[in-house]
Amino acid sequence: MLPELVEIAKFLPELPDLDKIGENFTFLKSILFTGVGSKGASGQRLLLAEAPGDTPVKSATDAPVTATPEASGKQFRKSSDKEKVDQLQEELLRTQVKYQRMLERLERENKDLRKVVLQKDEKGIHQRKVKKSLIDMYSEVLDILSDFDSNYNTQDHLPRVVVVGDQSAGKTSVLEMIAQARIFPRGSGEMMTRSPVKVTLSEGPHHVAMFKDSSREFDLGKEEDLAALRHEIELRMRKSVKEGQTVSPETISLSVKGPGIQRMVLVDLPGVISTVTAGMAADTKETIFSISKNYMQNPNAIILCIQDGSVDAERSIVTDLVSQMDPQGKRTIFVLTKVDLAEKNLASPNRIQQIVEGKLFPMKALGYFAVVTGKGSAGESIDSIKDYEEDFFQNSRLLRDGMLKAHQVTTKNLSLAVSDCFWKMVRESVEQQADAFKASRFNLETEWKNNYPRLRELDRNELFEKAKNEILDEVISLSQVTPKHWLAILEKKLWERVSIHVIENIYLPAAQTMNSGTFNTTVDIKLKQWTDKQLPHKALEVAWETLQEEFARFMAEYKGKDQDDIFDKLKEAVKDESIKRHKWNETAMDSLRVIQHNTLEDRSITDKPQWDAAIQFMEETLQARLKDTDSVINDMAGPYWKQRWMSWTSRSPEQHICNETKKELERLLKLHEDHTAYLANDEVTTVRKNLEGRGVEVDPVLIKDTWHQLYRRHFLQKALHHCNLCRRGFYYYQRQFVDSELECNDVVLFWRIQRMLLITANTLRQQLINTEVRRLEKNVKEVLEDFGEDNERKVHLITGRRVQLAEDLSDCGTSPKP
């Protein structure tokens, strides 16, 4: 991410001579790699220092080609001059020490140079926007996955460095050396790491630390900030541990930036223990094993296995655990700590050589390292630990006698190797996922082309927006329904709802009084009661149901060119929810009651067409009732002889009794055509005895039920005949039937009902068009907005393979570059 050195030099005249530094690097490289032929620790560090910022570097675990004394001895064995061999070896060591110091000086200058460049770049001297670093973005992805599932049970296989080790093995100290700051709480022998700590390391101009969920920066160059950081980590660890437990799987995310820090993501895990001590939860050992396995089972996790070199290797538990998770050692780096104590305490240094060469126990690893992390004092600084480590290895016979290789020692070499391995695995992982992505996308595209060749790829959100527009168009169409259509369907539905009440509770009781005065009085009373209690409510029910039916009809019969049945479930849900939320205007009922009451009180038929329309309305109504009554009588008495012969059917015993009863009652009705609507008890007894005389046993209740239907038919037939006579009665109506035997009060009743239906329907139509349709449209918009914010509801309502396929294609997007 840094600009070219020449460009930096133009803007930063106060920087050191970059050309001179480049010449020194080139000269040193030629001396070490060509003149001397050695590629030891110095050469390795030089290569790493030259590597660009975001390019994975050459692995520090590669075996160097070193000019060993044995190799030199072969050249001089021909001359048999052992003294010359010793002199050459001493000269070689002096040359290596000389250029090692030169390299260290150049490294310090290079570090200072990068720090200055980063500081200037941070101030905006290059007038360009500083992009977020790759390691920061990578760490954020891991944080998102961690938030999604803190136990990493999701199938993310992104690489990270997992630091595991026995308790008090120096695991945290190694991490602090890599981070170049004493950032973790410490104690003497007790468990300090109680939960996983994810540390994101990256390069920056200032040595600072920051928690993922906090904006505070801790200056790692200040002791008070370091103490505050350690205290905050300890507080977060204790807070994450549930009551009754000792450790927690909850991850604490921390980022550390500073000059020269290798970029990687490390996860420090609680130390593995062999025994649960007093004060610990009983399942602490199993919980630590579980947490460690959850992290290590990631096939792309780099396992940094830390073992205490000051104790017997046989006492370590972690090596067996690591061997289980990575038997082939393809992603394990072994680190032996406290080598200074090991060299002092062990009688045989060869044992350390066996451990670092991987020959003492069966655990396999990519590389083996030996480090020293200080003298054990809590107050030691990172610089003092580095100096102590370098002094130790410079004077150690382990390195001098060839038991340890130069590239296998010091925390710095370890840091470079781990970073190199980390980025190598990141690159391989991304490449693998990119290949899998391409194959998956090809399969998805092929399936779409074969199954939906003429459809555009719309994911769930895009489909929802399309459906939303369709639904709003349908609601707008609802507002365009003609007044004539509203009026027709409202009038029809209202009459269907109230016709039974009008005939059964108003017309028939009044008409059977056989007296015009009583008829009109009965009608007025019953109409008043009906208007006060039921009619307005029924009318509003009809209007609301009509609005619902029309809304549903438009939703179901949308004729747009992009009609899609995949929206049916969503449309039905929107319709139901909108109707559920809709409340009719509360003031409408009171005003409607007044209108209906005034309409029904009017008896003034102004012209002959109104009279004829009322007669037609009455005739159609009575004919419909007569047809229903005939159907009921036929069901009770069973099929007639013609139906029995033509359809090969017969009467049931009950129908036979009812038919005989019908015949007897028809004879009675024929003798008394002006009979009242009800049979007297003695008439019931007479009918029953007549039937018993013919051998038919009948219940009095059946006699009354049969009479009710027969009399109803008889009355309706007479009413229809009377209706026909009233066709010429408008003249007499105008004279109030004075000096006339013809009375048509029933026609006036039906005219009043018909006019009430028309005016009520018109009133409801106005309410629908002016108010309710707009309010329903508003409800639909609100429902769509609510559904649009509810992802679970969208997943439930917009489903199917086509949707899932489009979602998968949308998730794929464009092919990523490795």
Side-chain angles (χ1 to χ4, degrees), residues 742-802:
L742 182 64
E743 293 184 355
C744 298
N745 293 309
D746 47 358
V747 176
V748 177
L749 169 62
F750 277 90
W751 177 82
R752 295 164 70 182
I753 297 295
Q754 187 182 40
R755 188 164 179 269
M756 181 276 298
L757 293 174
L758 179 60
I759 293 177
T760 300
N762 193 51
T763 303
L764 295 174
R765 175 193 62 80
Q766 292 176 358
Q767 292 182 1
L768 284 170
I769 294 176
N770 298 333
T771 305
E772 302 305 330
V773 170
R774 295 178 182 177
R775 293 177 63 226
L776 180 60
E777 181 179 352
K778 181 179 178 183
N779 286 340
V780 171
K781 290 180 180 178
E782 291 176 353
V783 169
L784 288 171
E785 291 296 328
D786 293 344
F787 282 12
E789 296 175 359
D790 190 341
N791 289 327
E792 291 184 5
R793 192 184 292 267
K794 283 195 289 188
V795 170
H796 175 69
L797 296 176
I798 304 179
T799 59
R801 177 56 187 162
R802 170 184 153 195

Side-chain angles (χ1 to χ4, degrees), residues 303 320-332 362-365:
I303 303 173
D320 290 338
L321 179 61
V322 172
S323 296
Q324 295 175 16
M325 305 308 296
D326 183 25
Q328 302 301 320
K330 294 181 179 180
R331 52 189 180 89
T332 300
M363 191 195 82
K364 299 179 181 179

Side-chain angles (χ1 to χ4, degrees), residues 497-563:
R497 182 64 59 86
V498 303
S499 60
I500 295 177
H501 181 86
V502 169
I503 299 300
E504 302 295 333
N505 297 85
I506 299 176
Y507 170 66
L508 289 179
Q512 292 170 6
T513 60
M514 300 299 180
N515 183 283
S516 61
T518 307
F519 177 89
N520 290 331
T521 302
T522 303
V523 166
D524 289 343
I525 293 173
K526 290 185 175 294
L527 287 177
K528 179 68 167 57
Q529 293 173 346
W530 185 42
T531 307
D532 289 341
K533 296 180 179 180
Q534 299 181 21
L535 183 56
H537 181 69
K538 293 289 184 183
L540 290 183
E541 282 184 355
V542 167
W544 181 217
E545 290 175 7
T546 303
L547 179 60
Q548 294 181 48
E549 290 176 2
E550 288 299 298
F551 180 39
R553 181 173 67 86
F554 275 93
M555 295 280 281
E557 299 178 0
Y558 182 65
K559 302 300 181 181
K561 62 179 181 180
D562 295 328
Q563 182 181 1

Side-chain angles (χ1 to χ4, degrees), residues 2-27 46 49-50 105-118 120 126:
L2 295 177
E4 296 293 335
L5 295 179
V6 177
E7 296 180 6
I8 297 175
K10 294 179 181 178
F11 293 100
L12 306 175
E14 68 274 17
L15 294 180
D17 188 345
L18 301 177
D19 295 335
K20 184 177 180 181
I21 293 177
E23 292 174 0
N24 290 338
F25 269 82
T26 304
F27 170 73
L46 178 59
E50 288 181 337
R105 178 177 60 80
L106 293 175
E107 283 180 340
R108 285 194 298 270
E109 291 180 4
N110 185 43
K111 181 178 178 181
D112 293 339
L113 172 63
R114 292 181 63 84
K115 181 176 181 179
V116 172
V117 170
L118 288 170
K120 294 293 184 181
H126 304 299

Side-chain angles (χ1 to χ4, degrees), residues 408-663:
Q408 290 182 297
V409 299
T410 73
T411 311
K412 184 170 185 179
N413 279 345
L414 168 65
S415 175
L416 296 170
V418 173
S419 177
D420 185 20
C421 186
F422 170 77
W423 285 109
K424 180 181 178 181
M425 189 162 286
V426 168
R427 181 175 59 187
E428 292 175 351
S429 175
V430 172
E431 289 174 348
Q432 292 171 2
Q433 293 187 27
D435 292 339
F437 166 85
K438 292 175 183 177
S440 176
R441 181 169 179 82
F442 175 79
N443 294 337
L444 293 173
E445 289 176 342
T446 303
E447 183 178 353
W448 184 275
K449 291 176 182 178
N450 290 332
N451 292 290
Y452 314 105
R454 298 186 178 181
L455 294 177
R456 194 158 54 93
E457 299 170 10
L458 299 178
D459 60 21
R460 185 171 281 108
N461 290 329
E462 292 171 329
L463 286 171
F464 178 82
E465 290 300 318
K466 182 180 178 183
K468 177 180 178 181
N469 293 331
E470 284 191 12
I471 293 171
L472 292 176
D473 289 342
E474 291 157 14
V475 177
I476 293 174
S477 299
L478 184 64
S479 64
Q480 297 173 354
V481 175
T482 62
K484 183 179 179 180
H485 179 75
W486 281 121
L487 190 61
I489 59 177
L490 285 169
E491 189 173 0
K492 179 182 177 182
K493 288 182 66 66
L494 182 60
W495 175 238
E496 290 174 353
R497 182 64 59 86
V498 303
S499 60
I500 295 177
H501 181 86
V502 169
I503 299 300
E504 302 295 333
N505 297 85
I506 299 176
Y507 170 66
L508 289 179
Q512 292 170 6
T513 60
M514 300 299 180
N515 183 283
S516 61
T518 307
F519 177 89
N520 290 331
T521 302
T522 303
V523 166
D524 289 343
I525 293 173
K526 290 185 175 294
L527 287 177
K528 179 68 167 57
Q529 293 173 346
W530 185 42
T531 307
D532 289 341
K533 296 180 179 180
Q534 299 181 21
L535 183 56
H537 181 69
K538 293 289 184 183
L540 290 183
E541 282 184 355
V542 167
W544 181 217
E545 290 175 7
T546 303
L547 179 60
Q548 294 181 48
E549 290 176 2
E550 288 299 298
F551 180 39
R553 181 173 67 86
F554 275 93
M555 295 280 281
E557 299 178 0
Y558 182 65
K559 302 300 181 181
K561 62 179 181 180
D562 295 328
Q563 182 181 1
D564 199 334
D565 57 2
I566 204 169
F567 300 146
D568 290 348
K569 198 172 182 180
L570 172 63
K571 289 184 177 181
E572 188 68 21
V574 171
K575 182 198 71 175
D576 294 342
E577 183 65 22
S578 301
I579 291 173
K580 180 180 177 182
R581 295 185 185 185
H582 189 86
K583 302 296 181 183
W584 203 274
N585 190 353
E586 297 178 356
T587 61
M589 185 175 294
D590 294 334
S591 61
L592 186 60
R593 181 181 288 109
V594 174
I595 294 172
Q596 290 172 336
H597 188 272
N598 293 335
T599 303
L600 288 171
E601 282 188 344
D602 187 8
R603 298 185 181 88
S604 303
I605 305 176
T606 58
D607 53 32
K608 185 70 164 56
Q610 292 186 25
W611 180 268
D612 293 340
I615 289 177
Q616 183 181 356
F617 175 55
M618 176 181 174
E619 195 173 42
E620 291 174 353
T621 302
L622 294 179
Q623 286 176 348
R625 292 299 156 189
L626 180 59
K627 184 178 179 181
D628 293 341
T629 303
D630 285 337
S631 178
V632 172
I633 293 173
N634 291 337
D635 290 341
M636 293 174 64
Y640 291 100
W641 67 267
K642 186 176 181 179
Q643 293 174 315
R644 295 198 300 272
W645 278 101
M646 297 296 292
S647 305
W648 289 86
T649 57
S650 60
R651 292 191 178 104
S652 65
E654 293 79 8
Q655 288 176 333
H656 175 72
I657 294 173
C658 185
N659 185 60
E660 293 298 322
T661 305
K662 179 175 77 73
K663 291 179 181 179

